[in-house]
Amino acid sequence: MPAYNAARTLRQTHAEVCEQQLVDHIIVVDDRSRDNTVAVAQSLDGVQVHVHDSNKGYGANQKTCYRLALEAGADIVIMIHPDYQYTPKLIPAMVSIIGNGLHPCVLGSRILGGYALKGGMPFWKYAANRFLTLAENLLLGAKLSEYHTGYRAFSREILQDLDLASNSNDFVFDNQMLAQILWHGFTIGEVSCPTKYFPEASSINLRRSIQYGFGCLWTALKFRLAKLGMPGRLFPAEQAGAALRRAAQA
């Protein structure tokens, strides 16, 4: 759980994660919250708490989460925001898809099933989501329902293969990570995820949202240029389709 000012919802999220009886280890990384997130996290049973010494950003928070999960020996890693916007009740479905070898990455999609607007997503965010997803599907050659969910599950293999350190420490990290997964040749599955928008749920403001949107488009464009023979730092030529080549050799 990458946490920032999540004191009011962390306990509820943790309780519902535990109810699924599938998670062996819970990690909360606090990105220097201004509330008592750390104290709440430290009061919860079975939680490893790591606190950044400064506010490093959402992407940097995830980098720490995945590093600690790999160090703990995780085979399947689920990233869920502790703001209770996404229900932990989908954990069994996401784990099953990865554990049975169907997809090494699974996203909880707010768009499948039409839950986004029903759950209170502002219309301007919904419209931006749909525009960005269309553009990214065209440039990345994928067919995902959305790229912007904060509910994701990964196999250990994916997290070991990706060069996450080269990604942004800001919100566009999420998008860069999905593009890298596709660049390696991994497949991505999706499950329909009800979501809730309420005052305690995390959200970025309009200015940061615009920056994020342009960052997503720039990432997708760099992916397309790499496909056309101009690889770069995020998409090195030697990593293109690596997962597919390994599968063919197996």
Side-chain angles (χ1 to χ4, degrees):
M1 297 184 197
Y4 182 67
N5 294 339
R8 290 179 290 182
T9 53
L10 176 56
R11 192 177 302 278
Q12 184 177 13
T13 305
H14 171 267
E16 197 163 298
V17 168
C18 293
E19 285 174 6
Q20 309 316 307
Q21 300 183 350
L22 278 175
V23 177
D24 299 316
H25 192 63
I26 298 174
I27 297 170
V28 173
V29 177
D30 181 77
D31 199 29
R32 212 62 184 177
S33 294
R34 297 190 302 269
D35 64 5
N36 63 334
T37 296
V38 174
V40 173
Q42 291 174 337
S43 73
L44 301 174
D45 292 335
V47 175
Q48 176 183 348
V49 182
H50 181 93
V51 183
H52 281 168
D53 56 10
S54 63
N55 182 258
K56 299 179 183 296
Y58 174 64
N61 195 326
Q62 284 194 66
K63 292 176 186 180
T64 303
C65 285
Y66 300 137
R67 174 179 61 81
L68 294 174
L70 290 177
E71 290 175 357
D75 294 315
I76 298 174
V77 177
I78 300 169
M79 191 273 284
I80 184 170
H81 293 176
D83 62 358
Y84 203 63
Q85 189 178 52
Y86 303 94
T87 173
K89 292 179 180 179
L90 283 175
I91 287 175
M94 299 172 84
V95 167
S96 177
I97 290 172
I98 295 177
N100 285 301
L102 299 176
H103 297 286
C105 173
V106 182
L107 307 179
S109 171
R110 300 164 295 179
I111 303 303
L112 289 176
Y115 288 114
L117 292 176
K118 293 178 183 177
M121 178 187 282
F123 182 78
W124 69 269
K125 286 192 174 185
Y126 178 81
N129 183 304
R130 306 317 304 134
F131 168 76
L132 287 174
T133 296
L134 174 61
E136 289 171 290
N137 275 335
L138 291 173
L139 290 169
L140 299 176
K143 294 182 179 179
L144 297 179
S145 67
E146 75 157 324
Y147 290 79
H148 316 292
T149 174
Y151 197 3
R152 301 159 179 233
F154 308 100
S155 69
R156 182 180 184 87
E157 181 186 12
I158 279 185
L159 296 180
Q160 289 177 324
D161 277 11
L162 299 189
D163 179 18
L164 298 181
S166 65
N167 293 352
S168 169
N169 285 337
D170 209 342
F171 288 100
V172 76
F173 171 91
D174 268 352
N175 211 251
Q176 292 171 335
M177 190 176 184
L178 291 182
Q180 287 174 324
I181 288 170
L182 294 170
W183 181 253
H184 277 74
F186 291 109
T187 60
I188 301 175
E190 296 182 279
V191 295
S192 180
C193 177
T195 187
K196 312 177 189 72
Y197 284 80
F198 49 93
E200 291 81 9
S202 62
S203 182
I204 59 176
N205 59 34
L206 179 60
R207 179 182 64 83
R208 299 292 294 279
S209 295
I210 292 172
Q211 291 176 341
Y212 169 77
F214 279 112
C216 292
L217 293 175
W218 181 233
T219 298
L221 181 59
K222 286 191 287 188
F223 180 99
R224 179 49 50 192
L225 291 174
K227 282 289 189 181
L228 294 174
M230 291 179 279
R233 180 174 56 88
L234 288 179
F235 310 111
E238 64 272 15
Q239 293 179 353
L244 293 176
R245 291 196 298 272
R246 284 200 299 271
Q249 294 167 0

